[in-house]
Amino acid sequence: MNTLVFDIETIPDIEGGRKLYDLGDLDADGVAKAMFHLRFQKNGTEFLAHHLQRIVAISVTFRGRGDEFKVWTLGDESADEKEILQRFFDGIDRYTPTLVSWNGSGFDLPVIHYRAMKHKVTAPRYWDMGEDDSSFKWNNYISRYHTRHTDLMDLLALYSGRANAPLDELATLFGFPGKMGMSGAKVWDAYQAGQLADIRNYCETDVLNTWLVYLRFQLMRGHISHEKYDSECALVRHHLRQSAKAHLLAFEEAWEAGA
């Protein structure tokens, strides 16, 4: 079965902020600061609402047949948001993978939905709930308790927000590297500094952590044996070592040190 782990990185939707709050005379930094301020006044947090986030990276791991495993970020650094989103949904249309995320139901997918609508992106397979494929009536990407999308954070907490755990801390507890390079709170600063490559690399390490935690979950639920778990981890390590990419090699080294 094809399995696709995904994670997004976002920045303030400057264009949207200008429209909603009449901030046309401000530069991008000024618009963002105004958006953060207005959000804090309303909710006591600067974390922007889902519909005011713009996606700058979607990173994925893909586990296919045989020994197929890879990690990458959709599109190149010049790809705009519409292209990134269309690539994401095109992959679902082509492979019908099991989707895996950490807080995907609470954050990533709602943001993806809003941004896809803005850009008129089509996603028929993703939105199928049995109209086109009758099997999707009982197991689709949208319904919370179906398994075509597994939000690991939501499921492990038994759908209780009080029990949610941070991916970084769980990954570290399990002997995986955890966060590397930056955090989501630093993405806007990094983007303003022209560090899109660093954002993409950071996003890739997040999906690697999610995939490794998912493997541990599959072991716990009895869907893979200890031998299969070890071989899957070895496959990831092999891919990282063969990648010749500094951030992936650093991830493997940190994993080795923490194991």
Side-chain angles (χ1 to χ4, degrees):
M1 179 181 292
N2 299 320
T3 305
L4 187 80
V5 178
F6 68 97
D7 183 52
I8 70 173
E9 298 303 332
T10 63
I11 61 172
D13 177 11
I14 301 301
E15 177 187 352
R18 284 199 176 102
K19 288 181 179 180
L20 291 179
Y21 303 123
D22 193 22
L23 302 171
D25 293 337
L26 296 177
D27 62 12
D29 184 57
V31 171
K33 288 178 178 177
M35 293 171 70
F36 293 142
H37 177 70
L38 290 168
R39 180 66 171 173
F40 186 82
Q41 283 187 318
K42 182 177 181 180
N43 291 80
T45 175
E46 291 187 345
F47 193 81
L48 297 176
H50 295 66
H51 64 284
L52 290 176
Q53 307 267 358
R54 179 164 78 87
I55 297 169
V56 293
I58 301 179
S59 295
V60 299
T61 66
F62 181 80
R63 181 68 174 95
R65 296 184 179 184
D67 290 337
E68 183 180 10
F69 176 83
K70 54 184 178 178
V71 54
W72 79 103
T73 302
L74 304 182
D76 59 28
E77 289 185 39
S78 67
D80 61 18
E81 186 179 41
K82 181 178 181 179
E83 179 184 343
I84 293 169
L85 287 163
Q86 192 65 69
R87 284 177 179 268
F88 176 74
F89 286 118
D90 285 349
I92 294 173
D93 286 346
R94 180 178 178 182
Y95 295 104
T96 315
T98 295
L99 295 180
V100 178
S101 69
W102 193 271
N103 195 30
S105 297
F107 179 71
D108 304 67
L109 286 175
V111 174
I112 286 173
H113 298 168
Y114 295 134
R115 304 309 291 181
M117 289 178 70
K118 173 181 172 59
H119 294 296
K120 302 176 184 176
V121 169
T122 57
R125 190 66 166 167
Y126 173 80
W127 284 104
D128 187 5
M129 288 180 274
E131 301 90 345
D132 298 323
D133 184 333
S134 60
S135 69
F136 273 60
K137 181 177 181 180
W138 313 110
N139 188 20
N140 56 62
Y141 291 114
I142 308 305
S143 298
R144 186 178 199 180
Y145 305 111
H146 291 184
T147 58
R148 289 194 189 274
H149 169 229
T150 297
D151 181 340
L152 266 179
M153 186 186 81
D154 201 25
L155 177 56
L156 291 173
L158 287 180
Y159 313 107
S160 169
R162 293 172 298 175
N164 286 346
L167 173 62
D168 174 45
E169 293 186 11
L170 270 190
T172 301
L173 287 173
F174 296 164
F176 308 133
K179 296 230 178 256
M180 296 182 65
M182 67 173 75
S183 68
K186 300 296 184 182
V187 168
W188 173 234
D189 291 338
Y191 185 83
Q192 286 185 294
Q195 298 170 351
L196 181 57
D198 293 337
I199 295 170
R200 290 161 61 93
N201 293 346
Y202 159 68
C203 197
E204 290 178 13
T205 63
D206 254 10
V207 291
L208 282 167
N209 279 305
T210 305
W211 171 244
L212 294 173
V213 172
Y214 180 69
L215 288 177
R216 190 68 65 90
F217 170 65
Q218 292 291 74
L219 174 65
M220 177 178 68
R221 69 196 298 220
H223 281 211
I224 60 175
S225 66
H226 282 274
E227 292 76 18
K228 179 63 173 175
Y229 171 81
D230 290 340
S231 69
E232 288 294 327
C233 288
L235 179 64
V236 176
R237 287 183 183 275
H238 174 76
H239 174 81
L240 298 178
R241 290 167 182 159
Q242 296 297 313
S243 70
K245 295 181 179 178
H247 67 290
L248 298 183
L249 292 171
F251 186 94
E252 199 280 329
E253 291 173 2
W255 184 5
E256 180 69 25

PDB file of all heavy atoms in Angstrom, residues 42-73:
ATOM      1  N   LYS A  42      -7.744  39.815  19.343  1.00  0.00           N
ATOM      2  CA  LYS A  42      -8.998  39.064  19.280  1.00  0.00           C
ATOM      3  C   LYS A  42      -8.924  37.745  20.038  1.00  0.00           C
ATOM      4  O   LYS A  42      -9.892  37.366  20.712  1.00  0.00           O
ATOM      5  CB  LYS A  42      -9.349  38.787  17.811  1.00  0.00           C
ATOM      6  CG  LYS A  42     -10.668  38.059  17.613  1.00  0.00           C
ATOM      7  CD  LYS A  42     -10.983  37.891  16.133  1.00  0.00           C
ATOM      8  CE  LYS A  42     -12.329  37.180  15.943  1.00  0.00           C
ATOM      9  NZ  LYS A  42     -12.648  37.006  14.502  1.00  0.00           N
ATOM     10  N   ASN A  43      -7.779  37.045  19.966  1.00  0.00           N
ATOM     11  CA  ASN A  43      -7.700  35.690  20.498  1.00  0.00           C
ATOM     12  C   ASN A  43      -6.613  35.463  21.547  1.00  0.00           C
ATOM     13  O   ASN A  43      -6.477  34.361  22.070  1.00  0.00           O
ATOM     14  CB  ASN A  43      -7.480  34.687  19.360  1.00  0.00           C
ATOM     15  CG  ASN A  43      -8.683  34.548  18.463  1.00  0.00           C
ATOM     16  OD1 ASN A  43      -8.913  35.365  17.592  1.00  0.00           O
ATOM     17  ND2 ASN A  43      -9.480  33.518  18.692  1.00  0.00           N
ATOM     18  N   GLY A  44      -5.788  36.482  21.797  1.00  0.00           N
ATOM     19  CA  GLY A  44      -4.718  36.311  22.767  1.00  0.00           C
ATOM     20  C   GLY A  44      -3.545  35.515  22.249  1.00  0.00           C
ATOM     21  O   GLY A  44      -2.697  35.067  23.025  1.00  0.00           O
ATOM     22  N   THR A  45      -3.472  35.311  20.945  1.00  0.00           N
ATOM     23  CA  THR A  45      -2.357  34.616  20.307  1.00  0.00           C
ATOM     24  C   THR A  45      -2.095  35.249  18.947  1.00  0.00           C
ATOM     25  O   THR A  45      -3.034  35.729  18.293  1.00  0.00           O
ATOM     26  CB  THR A  45      -2.650  33.115  20.123  1.00  0.00           C
ATOM     27  OG1 THR A  45      -1.581  32.499  19.385  1.00  0.00           O
ATOM     28  CG2 THR A  45      -3.956  32.897  19.355  1.00  0.00           C
ATOM     29  N   GLU A  46      -0.839  35.246  18.525  1.00  0.00           N
ATOM     30  CA  GLU A  46      -0.506  35.780  17.208  1.00  0.00           C
ATOM     31  C   GLU A  46      -0.644  34.729  16.112  1.00  0.00           C
ATOM     32  O   GLU A  46      -0.464  35.041  14.934  1.00  0.00           O
ATOM     33  CB  GLU A  46       0.925  36.332  17.208  1.00  0.00           C
ATOM     34  CG  GLU A  46       1.103  37.593  18.042  1.00  0.00           C
ATOM     35  CD  GLU A  46       2.474  38.212  17.882  1.00  0.00           C
ATOM     36  OE1 GLU A  46       3.381  37.527  17.366  1.00  0.00           O
ATOM     37  OE2 GLU A  46       2.636  39.391  18.269  1.00  0.00           O
ATOM     38  N   PHE A  47      -0.961  33.499  16.476  1.00  0.00           N
ATOM     39  CA  PHE A  47      -1.090  32.441  15.475  1.00  0.00           C
ATOM     40  C   PHE A  47      -2.311  32.715  14.612  1.00  0.00           C
ATOM     41  O   PHE A  47      -3.440  32.714  15.092  1.00  0.00           O
ATOM     42  CB  PHE A  47      -1.200  31.077  16.143  1.00  0.00           C
ATOM     43  CG  PHE A  47      -1.036  29.932  15.188  1.00  0.00           C
ATOM     44  CD1 PHE A  47       0.231  29.518  14.803  1.00  0.00           C
ATOM     45  CD2 PHE A  47      -2.145  29.286  14.661  1.00  0.00           C
ATOM     46  CE1 PHE A  47       0.397  28.470  13.917  1.00  0.00           C
ATOM     47  CE2 PHE A  47      -1.989  28.234  13.781  1.00  0.00           C
ATOM     48  CZ  PHE A  47      -0.714  27.821  13.400  1.00  0.00           C
ATOM     49  N   LEU A  48      -2.083  32.945  13.324  1.00  0.00           N
ATOM     50  CA  LEU A  48      -3.145  33.401  12.436  1.00  0.00           C
ATOM     51  C   LEU A  48      -4.175  32.324  12.146  1.00  0.00           C
ATOM     52  O   LEU A  48      -3.874  31.124  12.167  1.00  0.00           O
ATOM     53  CB  LEU A  48      -2.540  33.899  11.116  1.00  0.00           C
ATOM     54  CG  LEU A  48      -1.607  35.106  11.214  1.00  0.00           C
ATOM     55  CD1 LEU A  48      -1.010  35.421   9.849  1.00  0.00           C
ATOM     56  CD2 LEU A  48      -2.337  36.324  11.769  1.00  0.00           C
ATOM     57  N   ALA A  49      -5.385  32.758  11.843  1.00  0.00           N
ATOM     58  CA  ALA A  49      -6.449  31.833  11.466  1.00  0.00           C
ATOM     59  C   ALA A  49      -6.057  31.060  10.210  1.00  0.00           C
ATOM     60  O   ALA A  49      -5.261  31.526   9.390  1.00  0.00           O
ATOM     61  CB  ALA A  49      -7.746  32.608  11.226  1.00  0.00           C
ATOM     62  N   HIS A  50      -6.630  29.897  10.053  1.00  0.00           N
ATOM     63  CA  HIS A  50      -6.262  29.010   8.950  1.00  0.00           C
ATOM     64  C   HIS A  50      -6.391  29.691   7.586  1.00  0.00           C
ATOM     65  O   HIS A  50      -5.539  29.520   6.706  1.00  0.00           O
ATOM     66  CB  HIS A  50      -7.152  27.763   8.962  1.00  0.00           C
ATOM     67  CG  HIS A  50      -6.976  26.893  10.163  1.00  0.00           C
ATOM     68  ND1 HIS A  50      -7.323  27.292  11.430  1.00  0.00           N
ATOM     69  CD2 HIS A  50      -6.493  25.633  10.291  1.00  0.00           C
ATOM     70  CE1 HIS A  50      -7.057  26.316  12.296  1.00  0.00           C
ATOM     71  NE2 HIS A  50      -6.551  25.296  11.634  1.00  0.00           N
ATOM     72  N   HIS A  51      -7.450  30.463   7.391  1.00  0.00           N
ATOM     73  CA  HIS A  51      -7.700  31.047   6.071  1.00  0.00           C
ATOM     74  C   HIS A  51      -6.784  32.233   5.776  1.00  0.00           C
ATOM     75  O   HIS A  51      -6.823  32.769   4.666  1.00  0.00           O
ATOM     76  CB  HIS A  51      -9.164  31.465   5.947  1.00  0.00           C
ATOM     77  CG  HIS A  51      -9.575  32.557   6.886  1.00  0.00           C
ATOM     78  ND1 HIS A  51      -9.798  32.348   8.229  1.00  0.00           N
ATOM     79  CD2 HIS A  51      -9.804  33.888   6.668  1.00  0.00           C
ATOM     80  CE1 HIS A  51     -10.156  33.473   8.801  1.00  0.00           C
ATOM     81  NE2 HIS A  51     -10.156  34.437   7.880  1.00  0.00           N
ATOM     82  N   LEU A  52      -5.958  32.623   6.749  1.00  0.00           N
ATOM     83  CA  LEU A  52      -5.007  33.711   6.523  1.00  0.00           C
ATOM     84  C   LEU A  52      -3.565  33.203   6.481  1.00  0.00           C
ATOM     85  O   LEU A  52      -2.624  33.967   6.657  1.00  0.00           O
ATOM     86  CB  LEU A  52      -5.171  34.782   7.602  1.00  0.00           C
ATOM     87  CG  LEU A  52      -6.467  35.585   7.501  1.00  0.00           C
ATOM     88  CD1 LEU A  52      -6.593  36.553   8.665  1.00  0.00           C
ATOM     89  CD2 LEU A  52      -6.537  36.344   6.174  1.00  0.00           C
ATOM     90  N   GLN A  53      -3.396  31.913   6.238  1.00  0.00           N
ATOM     91  CA  GLN A  53      -2.072  31.306   6.087  1.00  0.00           C
ATOM     92  C   GLN A  53      -1.821  31.049   4.593  1.00  0.00           C
ATOM     93  O   GLN A  53      -2.723  30.598   3.884  1.00  0.00           O
ATOM     94  CB  GLN A  53      -2.015  29.966   6.830  1.00  0.00           C
ATOM     95  CG  GLN A  53      -2.430  30.021   8.286  1.00  0.00           C
ATOM     96  CD  GLN A  53      -1.264  30.218   9.234  1.00  0.00           C
ATOM     97  OE1 GLN A  53      -0.112  30.291   8.823  1.00  0.00           O
ATOM     98  NE2 GLN A  53      -1.550  30.308  10.519  1.00  0.00           N
ATOM     99  N   ARG A  54      -0.607  31.292   4.139  1.00  0.00           N
ATOM    100  CA  ARG A  54      -0.221  30.968   2.761  1.00  0.00           C
ATOM    101  C   ARG A  54       0.848  29.890   2.791  1.00  0.00           C
ATOM    102  O   ARG A  54       1.819  29.985   3.549  1.00  0.00           O
ATOM    103  CB  ARG A  54       0.310  32.202   2.017  1.00  0.00           C
ATOM    104  CG  ARG A  54       0.733  31.881   0.572  1.00  0.00           C
ATOM    105  CD  ARG A  54       0.886  33.146  -0.253  1.00  0.00           C
ATOM    106  NE  ARG A  54       2.113  33.864   0.002  1.00  0.00           N
ATOM    107  CZ  ARG A  54       3.279  33.620  -0.609  1.00  0.00           C
ATOM    108  NH1 ARG A  54       3.389  32.638  -1.494  1.00  0.00           N
ATOM    109  NH2 ARG A  54       4.342  34.353  -0.334  1.00  0.00           N
ATOM    110  N   ILE A  55       0.677  28.871   1.975  1.00  0.00           N
ATOM    111  CA  ILE A  55       1.591  27.730   1.968  1.00  0.00           C
ATOM    112  C   ILE A  55       2.825  28.034   1.123  1.00  0.00           C
ATOM    113  O   ILE A  55       2.712  28.443  -0.034  1.00  0.00           O
ATOM    114  CB  ILE A  55       0.882  26.481   1.416  1.00  0.00           C
ATOM    115  CG1 ILE A  55      -0.287  26.093   2.333  1.00  0.00           C
ATOM    116  CG2 ILE A  55       1.855  25.311   1.273  1.00  0.00           C
ATOM    117  CD1 ILE A  55      -1.216  25.050   1.750  1.00  0.00           C
ATOM    118  N   VAL A  56       4.002  27.834   1.713  1.00  0.00           N
ATOM    119  CA  VAL A  56       5.247  28.015   0.966  1.00  0.00           C
ATOM    120  C   VAL A  56       5.982  26.699   0.757  1.00  0.00           C
ATOM    121  O   VAL A  56       6.932  26.638  -0.030  1.00  0.00           O
ATOM    122  CB  VAL A  56       6.183  29.036   1.654  1.00  0.00           C
ATOM    123  CG1 VAL A  56       5.562  30.432   1.609  1.00  0.00           C
ATOM    124  CG2 VAL A  56       6.509  28.620   3.088  1.00  0.00           C
ATOM    125  N   ALA A  57       5.556  25.636   1.451  1.00  0.00           N
ATOM    126  CA  ALA A  57       6.190  24.336   1.254  1.00  0.00           C
ATOM    127  C   ALA A  57       5.244  23.228   1.690  1.00  0.00           C
ATOM    128  O   ALA A  57       4.541  23.362   2.700  1.00  0.00           O
ATOM    129  CB  ALA A  57       7.495  24.230   2.043  1.00  0.00           C
ATOM    130  N   ILE A  58       5.184  22.172   0.896  1.00  0.00           N
ATOM    131  CA  ILE A  58       4.580  20.909   1.309  1.00  0.00           C
ATOM    132  C   ILE A  58       5.644  19.843   1.100  1.00  0.00           C
ATOM    133  O   ILE A  58       6.087  19.602  -0.026  1.00  0.00           O
ATOM    134  CB  ILE A  58       3.324  20.541   0.499  1.00  0.00           C
ATOM    135  CG1 ILE A  58       2.242  21.619   0.612  1.00  0.00           C
ATOM    136  CG2 ILE A  58       2.783  19.186   0.968  1.00  0.00           C
ATOM    137  CD1 ILE A  58       0.983  21.314  -0.190  1.00  0.00           C
ATOM    138  N   SER A  59       6.069  19.231   2.182  1.00  0.00           N
ATOM    139  CA  SER A  59       7.050  18.144   2.109  1.00  0.00           C
ATOM    140  C   SER A  59       6.360  16.819   2.376  1.00  0.00           C
ATOM    141  O   SER A  59       5.364  16.763   3.109  1.00  0.00           O
ATOM    142  CB  SER A  59       8.182  18.365   3.110  1.00  0.00           C
ATOM    143  OG  SER A  59       8.932  19.512   2.789  1.00  0.00           O
ATOM    144  N   VAL A  60       6.889  15.754   1.771  1.00  0.00           N
ATOM    145  CA  VAL A  60       6.265  14.443   1.887  1.00  0.00           C
ATOM    146  C   VAL A  60       7.326  13.354   1.991  1.00  0.00           C
ATOM    147  O   VAL A  60       8.456  13.520   1.523  1.00  0.00           O
ATOM    148  CB  VAL A  60       5.354  14.134   0.673  1.00  0.00           C
ATOM    149  CG1 VAL A  60       4.229  15.148   0.556  1.00  0.00           C
ATOM    150  CG2 VAL A  60       6.154  14.082  -0.625  1.00  0.00           C
ATOM    151  N   THR A  61       6.946  12.256   2.627  1.00  0.00           N
ATOM    152  CA  THR A  61       7.648  10.994   2.430  1.00  0.00           C
ATOM    153  C   THR A  61       6.675  10.083   1.694  1.00  0.00           C
ATOM    154  O   THR A  61       5.457  10.141   1.927  1.00  0.00           O
ATOM    155  CB  THR A  61       8.088  10.308   3.737  1.00  0.00           C
ATOM    156  OG1 THR A  61       6.936   9.902   4.478  1.00  0.00           O
ATOM    157  CG2 THR A  61       8.959  11.227   4.571  1.00  0.00           C
ATOM    158  N   PHE A  62       7.213   9.250   0.819  1.00  0.00           N
ATOM    159  CA  PHE A  62       6.381   8.312   0.070  1.00  0.00           C
ATOM    160  C   PHE A  62       6.963   6.921   0.219  1.00  0.00           C
ATOM    161  O   PHE A  62       8.138   6.687  -0.075  1.00  0.00           O
ATOM    162  CB  PHE A  62       6.323   8.691  -1.407  1.00  0.00           C
ATOM    163  CG  PHE A  62       5.450   7.779  -2.230  1.00  0.00           C
ATOM    164  CD1 PHE A  62       4.076   7.933  -2.230  1.00  0.00           C
ATOM    165  CD2 PHE A  62       6.002   6.754  -3.001  1.00  0.00           C
ATOM    166  CE1 PHE A  62       3.255   7.096  -2.977  1.00  0.00           C
ATOM    167  CE2 PHE A  62       5.198   5.913  -3.749  1.00  0.00           C
ATOM    168  CZ  PHE A  62       3.820   6.080  -3.738  1.00  0.00           C
ATOM    169  N   ARG A  63       6.137   6.000   0.711  1.00  0.00           N
ATOM    170  CA  ARG A  63       6.532   4.593   0.815  1.00  0.00           C
ATOM    171  C   ARG A  63       5.670   3.796  -0.146  1.00  0.00           C
ATOM    172  O   ARG A  63       4.451   3.701   0.020  1.00  0.00           O
ATOM    173  CB  ARG A  63       6.337   4.097   2.251  1.00  0.00           C
ATOM    174  CG  ARG A  63       6.738   2.626   2.464  1.00  0.00           C
ATOM    175  CD  ARG A  63       8.237   2.448   2.313  1.00  0.00           C
ATOM    176  NE  ARG A  63       8.655   1.084   2.660  1.00  0.00           N
ATOM    177  CZ  ARG A  63       8.827   0.098   1.765  1.00  0.00           C
ATOM    178  NH1 ARG A  63       8.593   0.321   0.469  1.00  0.00           N
ATOM    179  NH2 ARG A  63       9.223  -1.099   2.158  1.00  0.00           N
ATOM    180  N   GLY A  64       6.307   3.288  -1.190  1.00  0.00           N
ATOM    181  CA  GLY A  64       5.585   2.541  -2.204  1.00  0.00           C
ATOM    182  C   GLY A  64       5.887   1.061  -2.144  1.00  0.00           C
ATOM    183  O   GLY A  64       6.183   0.505  -1.086  1.00  0.00           O
ATOM    184  N   ARG A  65       5.853   0.425  -3.275  1.00  0.00           N
ATOM    185  CA  ARG A  65       6.070  -1.016  -3.337  1.00  0.00           C
ATOM    186  C   ARG A  65       7.548  -1.354  -3.275  1.00  0.00           C
ATOM    187  O   ARG A  65       8.403  -0.530  -3.616  1.00  0.00           O
ATOM    188  CB  ARG A  65       5.467  -1.574  -4.625  1.00  0.00           C
ATOM    189  CG  ARG A  65       3.947  -1.425  -4.708  1.00  0.00           C
ATOM    190  CD  ARG A  65       3.394  -2.075  -5.947  1.00  0.00           C
ATOM    191  NE  ARG A  65       1.946  -1.961  -6.018  1.00  0.00           N
ATOM    192  CZ  ARG A  65       1.190  -2.505  -6.970  1.00  0.00           C
ATOM    193  NH1 ARG A  65       1.775  -3.196  -7.940  1.00  0.00           N
ATOM    194  NH2 ARG A  65      -0.119  -2.353  -6.965  1.00  0.00           N
ATOM    195  N   GLY A  66       7.828  -2.580  -2.859  1.00  0.00           N
ATOM    196  CA  GLY A  66       9.217  -3.024  -2.790  1.00  0.00           C
ATOM    197  C   GLY A  66      10.003  -2.176  -1.815  1.00  0.00           C
ATOM    198  O   GLY A  66       9.582  -1.977  -0.674  1.00  0.00           O
ATOM    199  N   ASP A  67      11.121  -1.660  -2.275  1.00  0.00           N
ATOM    200  CA  ASP A  67      11.973  -0.814  -1.433  1.00  0.00           C
ATOM    201  C   ASP A  67      11.836   0.664  -1.766  1.00  0.00           C
ATOM    202  O   ASP A  67      12.738   1.460  -1.482  1.00  0.00           O
ATOM    203  CB  ASP A  67      13.447  -1.241  -1.584  1.00  0.00           C
ATOM    204  CG  ASP A  67      13.723  -2.589  -0.944  1.00  0.00           C
ATOM    205  OD1 ASP A  67      12.959  -2.978  -0.036  1.00  0.00           O
ATOM    206  OD2 ASP A  67      14.683  -3.263  -1.361  1.00  0.00           O
ATOM    207  N   GLU A  68      10.732   1.048  -2.364  1.00  0.00           N
ATOM    208  CA  GLU A  68      10.559   2.453  -2.750  1.00  0.00           C
ATOM    209  C   GLU A  68      10.274   3.319  -1.522  1.00  0.00           C
ATOM    210  O   GLU A  68       9.268   3.150  -0.839  1.00  0.00           O
ATOM    211  CB  GLU A  68       9.422   2.614  -3.758  1.00  0.00           C
ATOM    212  CG  GLU A  68       9.257   4.045  -4.246  1.00  0.00           C
ATOM    213  CD  GLU A  68       8.130   4.222  -5.241  1.00  0.00           C
ATOM    214  OE1 GLU A  68       7.338   3.268  -5.414  1.00  0.00           O
ATOM    215  OE2 GLU A  68       8.036   5.301  -5.843  1.00  0.00           O
ATOM    216  N   PHE A  69      11.181   4.230  -1.252  1.00  0.00           N
ATOM    217  CA  PHE A  69      11.002   5.222  -0.201  1.00  0.00           C
ATOM    218  C   PHE A  69      11.726   6.491  -0.619  1.00  0.00           C
ATOM    219  O   PHE A  69      12.861   6.436  -1.106  1.00  0.00           O
ATOM    220  CB  PHE A  69      11.572   4.750   1.146  1.00  0.00           C
ATOM    221  CG  PHE A  69      11.480   5.816   2.215  1.00  0.00           C
ATOM    222  CD1 PHE A  69      10.314   5.988   2.923  1.00  0.00           C
ATOM    223  CD2 PHE A  69      12.553   6.663   2.459  1.00  0.00           C
ATOM    224  CE1 PHE A  69      10.215   6.990   3.889  1.00  0.00           C
ATOM    225  CE2 PHE A  69      12.451   7.666   3.416  1.00  0.00           C
ATOM    226  CZ  PHE A  69      11.282   7.832   4.128  1.00  0.00           C
ATOM    227  N   LYS A  70      11.085   7.628  -0.442  1.00  0.00           N
ATOM    228  CA  LYS A  70      11.760   8.887  -0.732  1.00  0.00           C
ATOM    229  C   LYS A  70      11.127  10.009   0.085  1.00  0.00           C
ATOM    230  O   LYS A  70       9.989   9.903   0.556  1.00  0.00           O
ATOM    231  CB  LYS A  70      11.714   9.226  -2.219  1.00  0.00           C
ATOM    232  CG  LYS A  70      10.335   9.236  -2.850  1.00  0.00           C
ATOM    233  CD  LYS A  70      10.458   9.486  -4.366  1.00  0.00           C
ATOM    234  CE  LYS A  70       9.097   9.444  -5.044  1.00  0.00           C
ATOM    235  NZ  LYS A  70       9.207   9.727  -6.497  1.00  0.00           N
ATOM    236  N   VAL A  71      11.902  11.057   0.252  1.00  0.00           N
ATOM    237  CA  VAL A  71      11.429  12.262   0.929  1.00  0.00           C
ATOM    238  C   VAL A  71      11.798  13.447   0.051  1.00  0.00           C
ATOM    239  O   VAL A  71      12.911  13.536  -0.452  1.00  0.00           O
ATOM    240  CB  VAL A  71      12.037  12.393   2.353  1.00  0.00           C
ATOM    241  CG1 VAL A  71      13.555  12.311   2.333  1.00  0.00           C
ATOM    242  CG2 VAL A  71      11.587  13.684   3.012  1.00  0.00           C
ATOM    243  N   TRP A  72      10.846  14.357  -0.142  1.00  0.00           N
ATOM    244  CA  TRP A  72      11.122  15.529  -0.960  1.00  0.00           C
ATOM    245  C   TRP A  72      10.073  16.604  -0.695  1.00  0.00           C
ATOM    246  O   TRP A  72       9.094  16.375   0.017  1.00  0.00           O
ATOM    247  CB  TRP A  72      11.177  15.159  -2.445  1.00  0.00           C
ATOM    248  CG  TRP A  72       9.869  14.976  -3.152  1.00  0.00           C
ATOM    249  CD1 TRP A  72       9.254  15.848  -3.996  1.00  0.00           C
ATOM    250  CD2 TRP A  72       9.005  13.822  -3.092  1.00  0.00           C
ATOM    251  NE1 TRP A  72       8.082  15.318  -4.462  1.00  0.00           N
ATOM    252  CE2 TRP A  72       7.905  14.083  -3.937  1.00  0.00           C
ATOM    253  CE3 TRP A  72       9.065  12.607  -2.408  1.00  0.00           C
ATOM    254  CZ2 TRP A  72       6.866  13.171  -4.104  1.00  0.00           C
ATOM    255  CZ3 TRP A  72       8.031  11.693  -2.578  1.00  0.00           C
ATOM    256  CH2 TRP A  72       6.958  11.969  -3.419  1.00  0.00           C
ATOM    257  N   THR A  73      10.298  17.771  -1.265  1.00  0.00           N
ATOM    258  CA  THR A  73       9.364  18.886  -1.171  1.00  0.00           C
ATOM    259  C   THR A  73       8.774  19.135  -2.548  1.00  0.00           C
ATOM    260  O   THR A  73       9.501  19.165  -3.546  1.00  0.00           O
ATOM    261  CB  THR A  73      10.063  20.152  -0.644  1.00  0.00           C
ATOM    262  OG1 THR A  73      10.639  19.859   0.637  1.00  0.00           O
ATOM    263  CG2 THR A  73       9.086  21.303  -0.500  1.00  0.00           C
TER     264      THR A  73
END
